[in-house]
Amino acid sequence: MASVGKMDAQAMRAHNAQRLLRAVRKLGTVSRAELARATRLSPPTVSALVERLLDAGLLEEKGEGASNGGRKPVLLGFNASCGIVIGANIGTNAIQLAAADMNGRILKKHSLEIIKDTRPRPLLRRLATAAQKALRDFPHTPLLAVAVGAPGMTDVARGIVIEAANLEGWTDVNVEAILSEQLGAPVIVDNDVNLAALGEQWCGRARGVHNFVFIWMDAGIGAGIVIEDRLHRGHRWHAGEISHINVDFREWNVDFGAAGYLEFYAGAVPKSRPTRAPRLNASSLGDENVLRLGAAVANIATILDPELIIFGGRLAASSPDLLPRVREVASRIVPNCPEMILTELGEEAALMGSVRLALERANESLYESLGQRVQVK
């Protein structure tokens, strides 16, 4: 019975530590007395937990607060330097990488041009080397999580890129296993357009928007879908693969990439021909293909009824006339058509989303480990 009681006490201590740390991160700079009021924990409990969290490097003292007649209180804050995360995005022409602290402040950015070899292991080796180089500037800060975006279908649960047809040999590539071995940290991989949607919601034009679609038009076309603040990836990780939408049944063909499929009309590179992405220009779509794109967007709006549709990628950004033309077509089909706007994050939307995803994974680990960090020795 004593061991059960001890276990219950440890679980309660971990639970209270989570409450306290979440309160500090929500309130910002705060005193012990304010923490006791915010968490409804007793002052002795707060003081004991604060000391352990200070020892663990999760909290830090921020100076003194104003006096209410007695001694000035010592103010506390979250130590965002307690860990570091890496976000990366693998594009058809470049690898983008960013290091951030636990508040999401970007500490370092780097971009690597993809010249020739796009095979999985050489490409991931370059990514890992760039990450290790970035981490040398923070030798005493542990790497807590890595998130990687890939231009293709991904199985997030297994950390596998199912297929990235614009990269050579990218079929069933276990990105999680390869990178976690090289970097010694948890790795999560997701589709790049999903991450672009996540980035847009975190620090772009979808802040405060709970239901929206992000459409990326570049070498190919794809969508990231957010429903009630959560990415919708689908049962088979296929949600958002709008390149497969058939917009001309007269030219239907079972081979993806042929006439009839949306990507044939509104993308630049058919999936059957891996190559480096060419220079793109929205004016090359033509009026008929804009009609097809507008019809596809109308179908998406009809099924999902989002608050907002955000467009990104070089095709979307290359012509100021494209979005109004697509909006006009979709509005003729869908009553109360959602607002359509361009991303404000540009080429870094997926990179910012990868940083956000890495932060989510790092925070999960951080809170899960609190029980060990606040144990009574």
Side-chain angles (χ1 to χ4, degrees), residues 221 242-248 256 258-267 289 292-294 296-297 300:
I221 184 169
I242 62 172
S243 56
H244 290 257
I245 292 177
N246 188 283
V247 290
D248 193 340
F256 171 65
Y261 290 97
L262 181 61
E263 188 163 287
F264 182 84
Y265 305 106
N289 290 340
R292 291 186 173 102
L293 178 59
V297 170
I300 293 168

Side-chain angles (χ1 to χ4, degrees), residues 295-314:
V297 170
N299 291 339
I300 293 168
T302 299
I303 294 169
L304 297 175
D305 188 24
E307 301 172 52
L308 182 67
I309 298 178
I310 303 175
F311 288 79
R314 289 173 295 169

